[in-house]
Amino acid sequence: MFRFIARRLLETIPVLLIIVTATFFMVRFVPGGPFDNEKATTPEIRANLEAYYGLNLPLHQQYLNYLKAVVLHGDLGRSTKYASRTVNEIIADKLPASLQLGSLALLIALVLGLTAGVVAAVNRNTKIDYFTSTFSMVGICVPTFVLGPVLVLIFAIKLGWFNASGWYEWQDRILPSLTLGIVYAASIARLTRGGMLEVLNQDYIRTARAKGASEARIIFRHALRGGLLPVVSFLGPAIAGILTGSFVIETIFQIPGLGREFVNSAFNRDYTLVLGTVILYAVLIIGLNLVVDVVQVWLNPKLKFE
Amino acid sequence: MSAPVVQKPSTPPAASASASAVPDRGVSPWRDAWQRLRRNHLAVFGGAVLITLSLLCVIGPWFSPYGYEQTDLYNTFSPPSFKHWLGTDQLGRDLLTRLLFGGRISLMVGLVATFVALTIGVVYGAISGYAGGKTDRVMMRIVDILYALPFTIFVILLMVFFGRNLLLLFVAIGAVEWLTMARIVRGQIMSIKRMDYIEAARSLGLGTPRIIFRHMIPNILGPIIVYTTLTIPGVMLLEAFLSFLGLGVQPPMSSWGVLIKDGAERMEEYPWMLIFPGTIFSLTLFSLNFLGDGLRDALDVRAAKD
């Protein structure tokens, strides 16, 4: 297992390098630069700014300097938009909100999805099952940017239970994480139902029944472990989706998170901030995918750490 | 729009079945699948909704007394009425006309980008599966790695940097969505690679491209059709997601994503601006998913669900 993890970590290095390189050069070759929007920059000021950020050096030199700073010091440079702030500071400032939103959404997705899926599978082909399945289909088909505003309309504006936007009190967390979580809860419910149904027909479940194990024990102890497999393999894409999905949620609910900052930084041609966030997201997604893979093998004795 | 997808493949095999002089009872696999699909009410409903919506979107705008960008500043935000069935927006533009016109764009993006994804995925998967061995391992490893990348982020960057044009949107979305298709095609190709008729084709001295595209692809059309149907909603979702962030289709052009964005911003006073586009968009995704599920059952595609 350690060899597996070590090998995967090693594989990550070239992948990250490719991401950094691709983003670095893509950002540089696009039309427009970070100082285009400034009001009437004189050539002198511009030259000064470029010197300050090292943008006057040859491109390959900039690239090597950037890599060196990132790898050796974890230093993502200074934001070209907010000259007084480093990218590390901005990330430290904005990431917590996004992480909170993401983990709450994931929690909601797992709790809601697993419960619904297990309930539907156990009560297969009953009204409960049809109800749950239809509901999860609805959850999959209503995109977050429709669901979010609709929830705001109902619960914040009409009923007045929550604030329509903002990120101050704990109540402000509920609607955004619910919006983001429901879509994935729906997918997880479908996967859990499918996985559980497959497992519940297996011989070893019949054996457990024959031995007189209680229904609860059979479901939670014997079936769930196998039934969870499709869910776990879905978690990789789900995590990536939740991370990027938070862009939209943060826009709808005016949350001061990294997602919104990222989209803005792209509009502002904030080279360093774009690069920094892309690297961070890549590391997060790749790292979490690795965790998912490990859990998957750990749950399923048929798979091996190859 | 979806009708040809269902019906087209049923012609050639059916014709050959009758040509091989089997008396009455012979039912070709395609006809068999078609009959199974027809018994699936949800799938039929989905198909019917899609055909209706597509026809409305294609034909509707011609019969509308309003243009999609025709403003009427005396009639802004008017609620649904006989004059404007679905009301008007902030510039007094007729919402129904914009909805139908936007439908053209959204459906077109769905189809074209899916076609891009389909082409890349099928070619890549077929080559990888047919070649086997080391080539296959390397090609699939690349797919694995790409799966873990924050692609949405790259699409966002591309759209911001290279001026948000439709063509780029197609390519960018298509380039993201081909991975699953490649995996599925590869698996299918591997499973029929050793069959006698392929050996026969090879011993006749046919070239590899001809074997793959004339003899193998037609035999794995089932799974390809199923996953194409399931890719379309994903693609449309991505388009709407980008448009919602202001990165996809640009006003005064309209697409469902653009309309939902406009609606979400003003839903407090003018909820119909969100409700109508949101409902139509969700209904489309709903129908596509049901149709895809129905096709999967009808064509008996066993590959991992979801």
Side-chain angles (χ1 to χ4, degrees):
Chain A
M1 180 171 146
F2 288 106
R3 274 191 51 196
F4 171 79
I5 296 177
R7 220 194 59 201
R8 287 289 301 270
L9 283 177
L10 274 180
E11 264 178 24
T12 308
I13 297 173
V15 175
L16 281 176
L17 196 67
I18 291 171
I19 293 180
V20 176
T21 315
T23 321
F24 185 92
F25 287 101
M26 190 165 95
V27 173
R28 295 309 153 101
F29 284 126
V30 298
F35 311 117
D36 283 355
N37 300 334
E38 307 288 320
K39 324 127 220 160
T41 17
T42 62
E44 291 80 17
I45 295 180
R46 208 187 164 86
N48 268 335
L49 278 172
E50 281 179 355
Y52 179 68
Y53 288 106
L55 292 175
N56 51 352
L57 300 172
L59 202 55
H60 67 272
Q61 192 62 45
Q62 291 181 33
Y63 173 67
L64 290 178
N65 285 348
Y66 184 77
L67 270 191
K68 209 158 79 186
V70 173
V71 176
L72 293 184
H73 311 289
D75 175 13
L76 297 167
R78 253 168 206 293
S79 157
T80 48
K81 169 83 180 170
Y82 314 105
S84 59
R85 307 187 69 191
T86 65
V87 174
N88 295 48
E89 279 167 14
I90 295 177
I91 288 178
D93 187 27
K94 304 281 182 182
L95 186 62
S98 293
L99 279 187
Q100 220 178 52
L101 173 65
S103 27
L104 276 174
L106 192 61
L107 189 72
I108 290 175
L110 281 173
V111 172
L112 269 183
L114 288 177
T115 321
V118 171
V119 169
V122 173
N123 301 293
R124 170 172 29 155
N125 293 338
T126 63
K127 281 209 176 91
I128 303 176
D129 181 20
Y130 296 137
F131 181 75
T132 323
S133 301
T134 316
F135 214 72
S136 48
M137 201 59 182
V138 174
I140 292 176
C141 296
V142 179
T144 46
F145 43 82
V146 175
L147 185 65
V150 168
L151 288 183
V152 169
L153 191 62
I154 298 174
F155 292 104
I157 295 171
K158 296 285 178 222
L159 295 175
W161 293 355
F162 302 100
N163 295 325
S165 61
W167 192 253
Y168 307 104
E169 303 153 45
W170 65 267
Q171 292 96 323
D172 294 341
R173 270 71 168 166
I174 297 177
L175 281 186
S177 13
L178 210 56
T179 309
L180 190 53
I182 282 181
V183 181
Y184 295 93
S187 303
I188 289 177
R190 270 166 69 90
L191 290 172
T192 314
R193 180 180 175 274
M196 287 292 283
L197 284 184
E198 208 151 286
V199 172
L200 284 173
N201 286 328
Q202 304 264 328
D203 286 344
Y204 72 90
I205 298 293
R206 211 175 40 191
T207 313
R209 280 221 173 87
K211 287 194 321 193
S214 72
E215 197 60 24
R217 192 178 159 81
I218 288 170
I219 291 166
F220 291 107
R221 179 88 204 138
H222 297 278
L224 198 55
R225 188 178 164 124
L228 276 182
L229 288 176
V231 178
V232 177
S233 49
F234 171 71
L235 279 184
I239 288 168
I242 283 179
L243 283 174
T244 42
S246 70
F247 297 0
V248 163
I249 304 287
E250 286 169 20
T251 312
I252 296 174
F253 292 95
Q254 315 265 323
I255 298 167
L258 195 58
R260 209 161 54 131
E261 199 63 43
F262 169 71
V263 178
N264 286 339
S265 70
F267 275 119
N268 292 334
R269 303 272 190 280
D270 193 337
Y271 290 164
T272 39
L273 191 51
V274 166
L275 266 169
T277 19
V278 170
I279 294 175
L280 182 79
Y281 275 117
V283 169
L284 273 177
I285 290 175
I286 293 174
L288 289 170
N289 267 304
L290 177 60
V291 175
V292 167
D293 283 356
V294 171
V295 173
Q296 204 167 3
V297 181
W298 177 65
L299 271 177
N300 187 356
K302 278 187 208 150
L303 289 176
K304 284 217 178 67
F305 294 108
E306 37 149 349
Chain B
M1 208 149 283
S2 54
V5 176
V6 182
Q7 285 169 335
K8 205 173 77 194
S10 75
T11 21
S16 64
S18 60
S20 61
V22 182
D24 46 24
R25 294 254 50 92
V27 176
S28 83
W30 290 108
R31 186 164 290 267
D32 191 31
W34 172 236
Q35 277 163 5
R36 250 176 298 170
L37 184 70
R38 269 200 332 211
R39 279 198 295 273
N40 184 335
H41 299 302
L42 279 174
V44 172
F45 168 77
V49 169
L50 287 173
I51 293 171
T52 317
L53 270 177
S54 320
L55 282 178
L56 278 177
C57 291
V58 173
I59 300 171
W62 287 327
F63 291 96
S64 164
Y66 312 100
Y68 75 95
E69 49 181 357
Q70 178 189 332
T71 58
D72 178 0
L73 293 177
Y74 293 108
N75 260 318
T76 56
F77 298 118
S78 68
S81 66
F82 281 113
K83 201 161 161 241
H84 297 282
W85 291 0
L86 301 184
T88 59
D89 68 1
Q90 68 274 21
L91 296 174
R93 294 175 295 197
D94 182 55
L95 190 57
L96 178 61
T97 311
R98 282 182 71 71
L99 192 62
L100 293 179
F101 194 86
R104 283 188 188 172
I105 306 284
S106 291
L107 291 169
M108 188 170 75
V109 172
L111 288 180
V112 177
T114 304
F115 183 75
V116 174
L118 177 78
T119 314
I120 305 177
V122 168
V123 172
Y124 192 95
I127 292 175
S128 177
Y130 190 80
K134 204 166 201 169
T135 322
D136 177 43
R137 262 200 311 270
V138 172
M139 286 177 82
M140 278 302 119
R141 198 72 202 111
I142 292 175
V143 169
D144 284 347
I145 291 170
L146 290 181
Y147 250 116
L149 292 192
F151 256 121
T152 320
I153 294 176
F154 277 102
V155 177
I156 291 176
L157 286 183
L158 275 176
M159 296 314 288
V160 175
F161 293 156
F162 297 97
R164 293 160 250 172
N165 65 50
L166 264 183
L167 193 70
L168 184 72
L169 187 69
F170 294 149
V171 177
I173 296 179
V176 176
E177 298 279 342
W178 61 273
L179 296 170
T180 313
M181 184 62 84
R183 272 194 180 165
I184 286 160
V185 169
R186 168 190 174 259
Q188 295 289 327
I189 290 278
M190 302 234 315
S191 72
I192 61 169
K193 192 162 70 169
R194 299 270 164 255
M195 292 205 173
D196 289 342
Y197 73 98
I198 301 297
E199 295 287 331
R202 211 174 291 137
S203 58
L204 278 173
L206 297 186
T208 311
R210 195 177 155 89
I211 294 179
I212 292 180
F213 292 102
R214 280 302 301 256
H215 297 271
M216 298 179 102
I217 302 278
N219 279 296
I220 58 167
L221 267 185
I224 294 181
I225 291 171
V226 171
Y227 282 91
T228 306
T229 326
L230 293 172
T231 305
I232 297 176
V235 166
M236 292 180 67
L237 206 55
L238 192 50
E239 181 271 322
F241 172 87
L242 290 171
S243 296
F244 187 86
L245 289 175
L247 298 170
V249 175
Q250 295 298 302
M253 278 281 260
S254 130
S255 83
W256 288 341
V258 171
L259 294 176
I260 290 172
K261 174 187 159 70
D262 278 357
E265 282 164 5
R266 300 180 174 82
M267 63 178 177
E268 204 167 330
E269 298 95 347
Y270 316 107
W272 65 85
M273 280 182 63
L274 171 69
I275 305 290
F276 292 125
T279 313
I280 292 294
F281 184 57
S282 304
L283 188 67
T284 308
L285 296 183
F286 216 68
S287 307
L288 277 164
N289 275 314
F290 277 133
L291 184 65
D293 274 0
L295 280 172
R296 177 162 52 194
D297 294 341
L299 293 167
D300 195 22
V301 177
R302 277 173 310 267
K305 270 208 161 195
D306 291 60

